Amino acid sequence: MNRVLFVMVWWSVVCWAPESLARPSGPRKLCDAYPDIPSCTGSIPSCYLCHNGAPAFNAFGYAVAEALWADASYTGPERYDSLLGSALSHVEGADSDGDGLANLEELELGTDPSDPLSHEVRREEPSDEPNPFYDVGVYDPRFAYKRVMNLYCGRPPTFEEVNDFVDQEDTRVALQQRLRECLSSSYWRGEGLYRLADKRVRPLKAVGFDGLIPLADYAWDYRLFSYILTDDRDARELLRADYHIDENGERVEGVIAGQAGAVIGAGGQPLEPERRAGMLTTQWFLVIHTMFSQLPRTTAAQAYRAYLGVDIAKSEGIWPVEGEPRDVDQKGVAQPTCAVCHSTIDPLSYAFAEYEGIGRLTSPFAFEYSGTYNPTRTPWGRDSVILGQPVADLPSWAAVAASSKFFQRNLTEMFWVHALGRKPLSDEMNDFLRIVESLPDDGYSANRLIERVVLTDAFGVP
Amino acid sequence: MTRLSSLTLAGWVLLAMSGCPDEPGGRQQDAGIRDAGVPQVVALAASAKNELLWRRYRALEQGLANGLVIDESRLCNELGRFSCVEQVHLVALGGNDAFEQGLHEPVPEPTGSTAVAVERLVWSACVEAVNADAARAVRRVFLDLDLSEAAGPLDLSDQAQAWAVEDTIRNLYRQLHAREPIDAERQELMRLSTDDDGHPLHPRDFALLSCFAIASTTETVFF
């Protein structure tokens, strides 16, 4: 009898449990409803805005789901996209996490409406006796000067330099002047920016050019990264450059042969310029991420993560494409749980499939063609879609990426986090987003971007 | 070393004055540090942001090397061979090794071993600085202190030696923190001229201890 009861309960759960509302279109639809909130400016909210881990809801997600279920016109998942907006507006005034801020306020501040510990705390005004060391509560150029010297010159200022600085008639002008000097220094060009490149290049000495098994030379990647982000160059070149930078800091056009004597054709840049897309098509980037993959999802995911600031592995940047995933390489990714992310990552990856990773084995000890273009490598190379736009090839993919607000935000966030050691707080979000928006007017200059960060209250108010 | 402990606390006092309240937006609390012999501090306006940046490996190295006028290659090497900054303590000092360890980003905050690594670095740098200055015809760091082995213990009743001690303290603050010492710091450091039993120290020992005390404050590590 107990067994019969158990089976009945089990079937009732399976057959009548509310249908999961984990929908990959959710983040995009939320941004349609609130295009100007911080998490929709050059980004898309991650699945964790509504889920603890799909399909489980967090407090905010559950409130939205309840509003959806309560809507008589919600007859099933096919109505999800069209009704999500009204469900969201229904819970705008509610405070799902009980932290005193309404859900809409939290979305507009950039805090988490499902986390009671994530909310804005108004800072008190400084009180007590005047502080002779720092102008607490207002922008203090002397304080900012010390930060500039440490962060961008790689050393603290000397006693004489500090005294000279405070004696300047206009310390803000002097601060900007010193910043420009630091951003031209060998420290910034050869070390500061190189460390910012680390997680984008992902070097590995063992298979680097001077490693045990040299597959490619990542020194090209570091030089290109640093070159583009100095001297007011257009940072979009990170994804569009069709040139490289040699050891002397000079531009090199055209195909670059592998190092003389290298057994496996490594050390150069074998791509024809018209097939290049800056950092995304260096021999190292293709070798280390694509390796032998027919559909290089890892390569696309790293490009998406490193240059657009959205990490598919963290359920970020979900922008599903109708009809995807087609599961072109028969990996089983069309299953519903896999399709949530693969409807975005697979179409992102097709354009990378026309490029070799670790090349073909041409002798027992020699891989050749690593990082080369091969249009016949797979039949899907021209089917890519990025940020909702179909693209014919990787340079087009990169052009869409480079002109996106995602790129602007990611670049801004890279330098913001470097300067302050953390992402912008809710009361700094307006300043942060202003810098994101100013990038086109500044010619996509990293130097101008950094200068704007340095002049924020977040940087210069002790 | 109890003197050094109180000097470290003096550093905390200055750090508190410079911007770290004990509670968000709160008034500076100094009751807990009075027992260390540190003069009571007037409550100054404290930052409501409670936020300092970590001076990471390169800026820390350059600050010590430039401030103590020593070559960075002689700053600190474990077993005489492995650079403390570039290799052995790189991560603890806020760096990362992407190439061999696959650490693509530095740790966001100081680790449990950061304080130990900083003290290791500072001690080594100060030893090197004292030796280097003693070998110079004209002192660059410890100014008029007689760092020769033949020198006798410090005698602060001798005005010239008292000035040499004060000048050394002032110069160390200028070189390492780009500012003048406050009176409380100067008074506290003057006490390093004697040991715990009140016996005067050799100028070389005073140079080393004052260097370590000033260079190992939190002001060295955060800005």
Side-chain angles (χ1 to χ4, degrees), chain A residues 260-332:
Chain A
V263 181
I264 57 173
Q269 295 297 339
L271 273 181
E272 300 80 10
E274 64 271 22
R275 296 295 171 196
R276 287 179 180 165
M279 301 292 294
L280 306 185
T281 53
T282 64
Q283 189 180 50
W284 173 259
F285 192 85
L286 294 167
V287 161
I288 200 67
H289 295 115
T290 296
M291 294 190 178
F292 303 103
S293 301
Q294 281 294 94
L295 183 57
R297 297 182 177 93
T298 302
T299 318
Q302 171 63 3
Y304 209 39
R305 178 190 302 120
Y307 297 102
L308 299 186
V310 277
D311 191 340
I312 288 275
K314 295 178 181 171
S315 300
E316 296 169 351
I318 300 297
W319 195 314
V321 174
E322 190 67 33
E324 295 284 356
R326 290 180 285 157
D327 198 9
V328 292
D329 54 351
Q330 288 86 50
K331 299 295 184 189

Side-chain angles (χ1 to χ4, degrees), chain B residues 17-199:
Chain B
M17 290 194 301
S18 72
C20 274
D22 291 310
E23 53 200 43
R27 178 179 292 258
Q28 177 187 318
Q29 305 294 307
D30 61 357
I33 53 178
R34 286 180 192 158
D35 62 347
V38 179
Q40 189 174 335
V41 177
V42 176
L44 302 176
S47 170
K49 295 175 72 174
N50 196 17
E51 183 173 70
L52 293 170
L53 299 179
W54 182 7
R55 181 172 290 142
R56 293 173 185 268
Y57 69 107
R58 186 63 70 215
L60 179 66
E61 173 200 62
Q62 291 298 308
L64 288 172
N66 294 341
L68 297 174
V69 199
I70 52 179
D71 191 284
E72 61 204 31
S73 66
R74 299 183 61 83
L75 203 59
C76 172
N77 292 290
E78 299 295 11
L79 305 175
R81 294 173 59 195
F82 305 105
S83 166
C84 295
V85 176
E86 301 287 349
Q87 296 169 278
V88 185
H89 306 302
L90 175 64
V91 174
L93 295 173
N96 64 298
D97 177 6
F99 304 97
E100 294 195 62
Q101 297 182 28
L103 195 60
H104 296 129
E105 288 183 284
V107 292
E109 294 171 354
T111 67
S113 57
T114 295
V116 180
V118 169
E119 289 204 349
R120 170 76 184 94
L121 189 66
V122 168
W123 184 257
S124 175
C126 287
V127 169
E128 182 65 25
V130 171
N131 290 337
D133 232 26
R136 290 188 181 106
V138 179
R139 308 258 183 276
R140 300 280 302 280
V141 181
F142 305 102
L143 303 184
D144 294 329
L145 281 181
D146 183 355
L147 299 177
S148 66
E149 295 291 348
L154 281 168
D155 176 8
L156 297 190
S157 64
D158 177 349
Q159 190 62 60
Q161 290 196 47
W163 281 337
V165 166
E166 283 219 25
D167 286 350
T168 291
I169 294 168
R170 181 183 302 113
N171 194 49
L172 282 168
Y173 269 95
R174 288 181 172 191
Q175 297 276 92
L176 292 166
H177 299 317
R179 65 173 176 85
E180 301 285 359
I182 61 173
D183 286 343
E185 291 165 332
R186 193 162 41 237
Q187 288 166 22
E188 192 62 27
L189 283 155
M190 290 292 283
R191 296 174 60 203
L192 286 180
S193 60
T194 60
D195 64 17
D196 287 346
D197 298 326
H199 303 305

Side-chain angles (χ1 to χ4, degrees), chain A residues 124 127 129 131 150 191 422, chain B residues 17 25 27 45 51 55 57:
Chain A
E124 291 181 19
S127 56
E129 296 298 313
N131 188 320
N150 278 279
E191 182 163 9
R422 55 165 177 73
Chain B
M17 290 194 301
R27 178 179 292 258
E51 183 173 70
R55 181 172 290 142
Y57 69 107

